[in-house]
Amino acid sequence: DVSRGVIRRLAADLGYQTEPLGNGPLLTQLSELNGMDDQAIRIELRKALTDHVFREKRLAKDFRVAMFQMCLAQMTGAEAAATTSRVLREWLTGVNSAVSAVKPYNIFNRINRTNARHFLESLFWWLHLAGSPGVAIVFDLGRLAITKNPKDGHHYYTKAMVLDAYELLRQFIDGTDRAVGCLLVVVPDISFLDEANNRGVSAYAALKTRIFDEVKDKVLVNPLAALVRLRTEAV
């Protein structure tokens, strides 16, 4: 759906009539709406996709390759296009992480812990390109505070996993400028602020230095800090 939104936006920028567009092949519909040969529209749209998607440096390389192929599939709507969309969606969402499935689309890497955040940041920009106002993500960190495995069927985080989670948060804070149109809300357990707790923020200095004030002034704020502090009366 987002890919179709991108195509609709690029087509509108090229001066084509884009309303109304249904669920069928986009080239056919644009051709009928504008009374033009679909091949002429295909050439212009493919160039626009190349410039604004395939060569968009704000998108991770494999992400932009995948989205370029996804858009081409949505344009034609052929039988093979449904397969393309399904395979790329399964790879992006982890349903099928095998690289062999996406090699025909010039993608040769798995999505893993080292590159997944870059794909997520690419998704933020992709939604922005499609005209979406943005995305809100809520991280509930309550499970990180559990010291012993309750064996309740939910995921348990070891101390090493807790530190990995804090490193991820640190990376998101440092990468704020790349999170276009994103609101990231982190909800920790109250013990997170306990500096004596070995699973709290003090367990990972790199994160603590980014969210704790070095100078604890109740009135003045640090204008160079990555985060801002909101008071109830200010909200």
Side-chain angles (χ1 to χ4, degrees):
D1 291 341
V2 179
S3 298
R4 294 175 72 87
V6 169
I7 296 172
R8 183 195 301 265
R9 182 173 181 178
L10 292 178
D13 290 344
L14 290 170
Y16 291 113
Q17 172 68 33
T18 60
E19 296 293 342
L21 285 177
N23 296 323
L26 290 177
L27 273 180
T28 302
Q29 296 182 67
L30 287 170
S31 175
E32 294 173 353
L33 280 173
N34 294 274
M36 293 180 60
D37 180 67
D38 60 356
Q39 284 298 107
I41 300 177
R42 182 199 300 269
I43 293 172
E44 280 202 283
L45 274 181
R46 189 180 180 96
K47 183 180 184 305
L49 288 171
T50 300
D51 293 339
H52 296 283
V53 179
F54 190 76
R55 294 175 180 165
E56 178 53 71
K57 299 302 182 182
R58 280 169 287 198
L59 301 175
K61 181 181 178 181
D62 286 337
F63 186 93
R64 65 176 183 256
V65 171
M67 292 302 98
F68 182 73
Q69 296 289 351
M70 183 81 77
C71 286
L72 293 181
Q74 294 302 315
M75 281 171 54
T76 60
E79 183 177 346
T83 301
T84 297
S85 297
R86 176 182 56 79
V87 170
L88 292 174
R89 283 200 310 271
E90 290 178 351
W91 173 72
L92 285 164
T93 57
V95 173
N96 182 7
S97 59
V99 177
S100 58
V102 292
K103 278 186 178 180
Y105 307 105
N106 293 318
I107 297 172
F108 305 100
N109 299 293
R110 290 183 175 87
I111 300 176
N112 53 41
R113 61 183 292 167
T114 62
N115 62 12
R117 183 173 55 87
H118 301 296
F119 275 78
L120 190 59
E121 291 171 351
S122 296
L123 176 63
F124 300 155
W125 178 257
W126 187 241
L127 292 169
H128 171 74
L129 185 60
S132 171
V135 58
I137 300 176
V138 178
F139 280 175
D140 184 351
L141 303 188
R143 294 289 294 188
L144 300 185
I146 299 176
T147 57
K148 294 183 179 180
N149 191 347
K151 297 181 180 180
D152 55 2
H154 297 288
H155 192 71
Y156 169 70
Y157 291 84
T158 65
K159 181 64 181 299
M161 292 177 179
V162 170
L163 297 181
D164 275 346
Y166 290 164
E167 167 61 10
L168 178 66
L169 293 179
R170 195 277 306 166
Q171 291 173 352
F172 272 120
I173 292 173
D174 290 353
T176 299
D177 292 341
R178 297 191 299 273
V180 176
C182 171
L183 171 65
L184 183 62
V185 180
V186 180
V187 186
D189 185 83
I190 188 64
S191 61
F192 176 80
L193 298 176
D194 183 358
E195 297 190 50
N197 179 18
N198 65 359
R199 282 178 171 251
V201 66
S202 294
Y204 198 66
L207 176 62
K208 183 179 179 181
T209 55
R210 284 161 174 78
I211 62 177
F212 266 56
D213 292 332
E214 293 182 5
V215 180
K216 296 181 170 62
D217 193 298
K218 294 184 178 180
V219 179
L220 300 177
V221 296
N222 180 4
L224 301 180
L227 306 180
V228 296
R229 186 177 300 255
L230 297 178
R231 297 193 306 270
T232 303
E233 55 267 31
V235 177

